[in-house]
Amino acid sequence: MTTTTTARPAKPAEKAPPVVHAAKRREIGREIGALAVNVYERGIADIVAFEKDAAKITPYPWAKNALTMSAGLIEDVGAAYVRTARQILR
C-alpha cells in the first residue's frame, strides 16, 4: 500500500510583535483604566438619574422613598469606587 503526501507550501514568516517597554505598558494601562473609570462613572450617573426621575413620578410614597434611598446608596458607593480607582491609577 502506498500513501501519497502532498507538500504544503511553507507559511511566510510571521513578524514578531514590537517590543513594548514596561513603562509604555504602564502608561497604556493607566489610559485604559482611566477610560474604564470614566465609563463606569457615567453609567452610575445614568442609573442614579433614572432612579431619581422614577421617584419623582411614582404616586406611592413608599416607592418614592425606596427609589430615593437606592439612588443615594448607588451614588455614594459608586463615588467611593471611582475615587479609589482614580487614586490607584495615579
Side-chain angles (χ1 to χ4, degrees):
M1 178 172 250
T2 60
T3 58
T4 58
T5 57
T6 58
R8 294 184 180 173
K11 292 183 179 178
E14 294 181 17
K15 292 183 181 179
V19 176
V20 180
H21 297 287
K24 185 68 173 171
R25 283 195 306 262
R26 279 192 296 274
E27 181 184 335
I28 292 170
R30 283 190 184 112
E31 290 175 10
I32 292 170
L35 179 64
V37 170
N38 290 340
V39 170
Y40 176 79
E41 187 176 30
R42 276 185 256 142
I44 292 296
D46 289 344
I47 292 169
V48 169
F50 171 76
E51 288 198 353
K52 287 182 178 179
D53 290 344
K56 288 178 187 176
I57 63 171
T58 187
Y60 305 108
W62 63 268
K64 186 180 301 274
N65 291 337
L67 287 166
T68 303
M69 187 180 301
S70 174
L73 177 65
I74 291 170
E75 190 172 31
D76 292 344
V77 172
Y81 284 162
V82 168
R83 188 173 39 254
T84 302
R86 289 194 198 287
Q87 287 176 353
I88 290 171
L89 289 172
R90 288 185 190 166

